[in-house]
Amino acid sequence: MIASGKVPFLENAVIALAMIENEAAVKEGLEVYQNGMEKLKNSFPLELKDVSSEHQCLSRTATEVLMKRSFKDREGTYLKSLE
């Protein structure tokens, strides 16, 4: 587009970049959660309260990972997809 002399519509580029970055943020958060739960499986058998506690901790950590990386997710679409 630049080579043709046309001016690119910057907002479309920002939206596309946000979408790519937010999808990567969801993937990264999900990997954190899944890896943590895989490690937890090695500790079985466990009491339900211990599994629940670890789930909550990993869920918070995954959300933090997503929030640090997410970009222009004003409606929380990507946060909801992580949950």
Side-chain angles (χ1 to χ4, degrees):
M1 184 165 262
I2 293 172
S4 70
K6 296 180 182 177
V7 177
F9 192 52
L10 190 55
E11 186 174 348
N12 287 342
V14 171
I15 290 170
L17 178 63
M19 189 172 106
I20 292 166
E21 191 63 21
N22 289 333
E23 288 172 357
V26 169
K27 182 178 177 184
E28 187 176 337
L30 187 57
E31 286 175 358
V32 165
Y33 179 83
Q34 288 175 332
N35 289 338
M37 291 303 278
E38 284 295 322
K39 288 178 185 175
L40 184 66
K41 280 184 4 182
N42 296 330
S43 303
F44 277 27
L46 294 171
E47 292 192 29
L48 181 58
K49 67 179 176 116
D50 295 329
V51 175
S52 179
S53 176
E54 189 64 18
H55 159 73
Q56 289 175 349
C57 180
L58 289 168
S59 182
R60 273 193 306 273
T61 303
T63 300
E64 289 171 6
V65 166
L66 177 127
M67 296 304 288
K68 284 180 184 176
R69 190 168 179 179
S70 70
F71 178 63
K72 291 182 71 85
D73 187 22
R74 293 186 183 121
E75 295 174 18
T77 303
Y78 293 93
L79 179 59
K80 290 174 191 169
S81 72
L82 176 65
E83 294 172 351

